[in-house]
Amino acid sequence: MKYPITQYQSKDLSRLTAFLNASWQYDSITESILQEKLEGDPYWMPEATFVCKDKDEIIGFMQGVMRDIRGTRYAYIKLMAVDETYRRQGIASAMFEKLEAIFKQNEADVVRICDVPLNYFMPGIDPRYTPALCWAMRKGFERFGDTSNLLVDLNQDWDMSAKETALKADNIEVRRARPEDKQAILDFIKDDWLLWSNEVEMAFKDDQPSIHIALLNGEVKAFSAHNANNKGTGWFGPMGTHPDLRGKGMGAILLKRCLQDMKDMGLSHSIIPWVGPIDFYSWHSNAVVDRVFWRYEKKLK
């Protein structure tokens, strides 16, 4: 392959941002969000982040990261792109060859594409990127599922104060999290939702924590967050409720508190990403399916 592949350097951030925006037909990214996806990843791997150049022009990019999840060592292609005029010349394949060697050296069990827990841009491949799908299949990736991003029009009434007041009779308090609540929330999620810890940490980086909680007799039993991934773009989540509070409408209350926050930020829409319970969000926020993503993986062992 005649074009050199080197490790990404931080001095290339502005040019890489412009390259990705020119190469992606259905997505756009800012420098700050790209920085969040690169050095901002809690397990950033600079040795597994590659650019391909023709002279001084970026013509290809691929970022790899890894996660240990429930006894499985996952590797991911987190972001990738090839300039349209340079496609079908083996650039993506050459970058992946280097990436796959690193993954194998680090004893990865499986490689997935885009759906990176803790810190991600999109939860899979939008099938409208048909060349990317075809490339993945040629490289031995197999489709194992799909997921969706929902879109919410924020120009709605999200007030749930009457419901919140009624819950006080059951010793349930609903409020915005305070900085001193962070450890209690991290303790709450550590058993069932440990993968959300980085997003909780990110929500607490805002001047006013972008996270709301419900407490039963003073103990955190439910939470919802926003602005914890892809900051400033209106992303909702994560959200979780302990069985002690289920059936009391807590999910709807916490969801709407976050949606009101985003409305107050001046955003017109919110994105609810990587959705499982589509019906819940549709019922409580009139959310609609906006994008669908296909999930691919390749076994290495």
Side-chain angles (χ1 to χ4, degrees):
M1 212 275 294
K2 64 180 181 179
Y3 301 109
I5 296 172
T6 59
Q7 288 184 12
Y8 163 79
Q9 303 292 321
S10 58
K11 64 182 177 62
D12 285 330
L13 179 63
S14 293
R15 288 191 299 163
L16 179 58
T17 303
F19 162 72
L20 293 175
N21 284 325
S23 300
W24 290 339
Q25 185 177 356
Y26 305 106
D27 294 284
S28 61
I29 196 166
T30 63
E31 282 191 29
S32 62
I33 293 179
L34 182 55
Q35 183 84 7
E36 177 188 307
K37 300 305 110 183
L38 296 170
E39 287 94 335
D41 189 290
Y43 299 99
W44 161 237
M45 295 178 69
E47 74 279 11
T49 305
F50 300 108
V51 293
C52 182
K53 294 183 178 180
D54 182 357
K55 299 185 175 64
D56 201 38
E57 179 184 358
I58 297 175
I59 59 173
F61 174 74
M62 188 173 288
Q63 177 191 7
V65 294
M66 296 185 66
R67 307 279 195 259
D68 290 311
I69 303 173
R70 302 183 188 94
T72 299
R73 196 152 173 76
Y74 287 96
Y76 300 89
I77 301 174
K78 185 174 184 179
L79 298 173
M80 65 177 179
V82 174
D83 186 303
E84 185 175 7
T85 60
Y86 288 83
R87 291 173 189 167
R88 301 190 179 186
Q89 298 185 48
I91 292 172
S93 295
M95 290 189 292
F96 181 63
E97 183 178 343
K98 289 179 174 291
L99 196 56
E100 191 173 32
I102 292 172
F103 290 157
K104 289 179 178 178
Q105 183 180 355
N106 284 276
E107 300 184 338
D109 298 303
V110 62
V111 186
R112 291 183 172 180
I113 301 178
C114 294
D115 56 342
V116 187
L118 310 185
N119 178 299
Y120 62 99
F121 186 59
M122 290 295 167
I125 301 178
D126 183 326
R128 293 175 296 176
Y129 289 119
T130 306
L133 296 181
C134 295
W135 176 84
M137 290 185 283
R138 288 197 301 271
K139 290 300 161 185
F141 287 85
E142 296 182 354
R143 181 180 171 191
F144 69 95
D146 58 68
T147 190
S148 304
N149 282 4
L150 306 186
L151 191 68
V152 179
D153 183 347
L154 292 174
N155 187 27
Q156 300 180 56
D157 179 8
W158 305 116
D159 181 51
M160 295 287 280
S161 56
K163 178 67 173 176
E164 292 175 20
T165 299
L167 289 171
K168 291 180 180 179
D170 295 327
N171 297 315
I172 298 170
E173 178 189 9
V174 183
R175 61 170 170 82
R176 182 184 301 279
R178 302 165 186 146
E180 59 268 26
D181 294 317
K182 183 169 76 169
Q183 190 56 54
I185 298 170
L186 291 172
D187 289 342
F188 170 64
I189 67 173
K190 68 181 180 182
D191 292 329
D192 296 321
W193 302 307
L194 184 61
L195 286 175
W196 292 344
S197 58
N198 184 68
E199 290 168 276
V200 168
E201 294 274 5
M202 292 291 286
F204 272 100
K205 289 185 177 181
D206 293 332
D207 293 336
Q208 179 176 253
S210 51
I211 188 163
H212 296 263
I213 55 177
L215 303 98
L216 176 61
N217 297 318
E219 184 178 354
V220 174
K221 292 288 186 175
F223 82 102
S224 66
H226 67 94
N227 210 37
N229 220 322
N230 301 317
K231 278 192 171 292
T233 59
W235 280 46
F236 171 79
M239 177 172 73
T241 301
H242 189 276
D244 287 350
L245 291 189
R246 289 181 186 161
K248 295 182 178 295
M250 198 55 58
I253 292 171
L254 293 170
L255 165 66
K256 292 181 181 183
R257 275 180 159 257
C258 287
L259 295 175
Q260 182 63 51
D261 273 1
M262 289 183 271
K263 182 178 179 179
D264 292 343
M265 289 167 59
L267 296 171
S268 62
H269 291 83
S270 172
I271 299 164
I272 305 178
W274 209 332
V275 172
I278 291 175
D279 181 63
F280 169 82
Y281 292 111
S282 176
W283 180 262
H284 290 292
S285 68
N286 297 309
V288 296
V289 175
D290 181 53
R291 297 181 68 179
V292 174
F293 299 89
W294 292 0
R295 305 176 70 193
Y296 281 86
E297 68 177 16
K298 178 182 180 180
K299 299 286 196 302
L300 296 183
K301 292 183 179 178

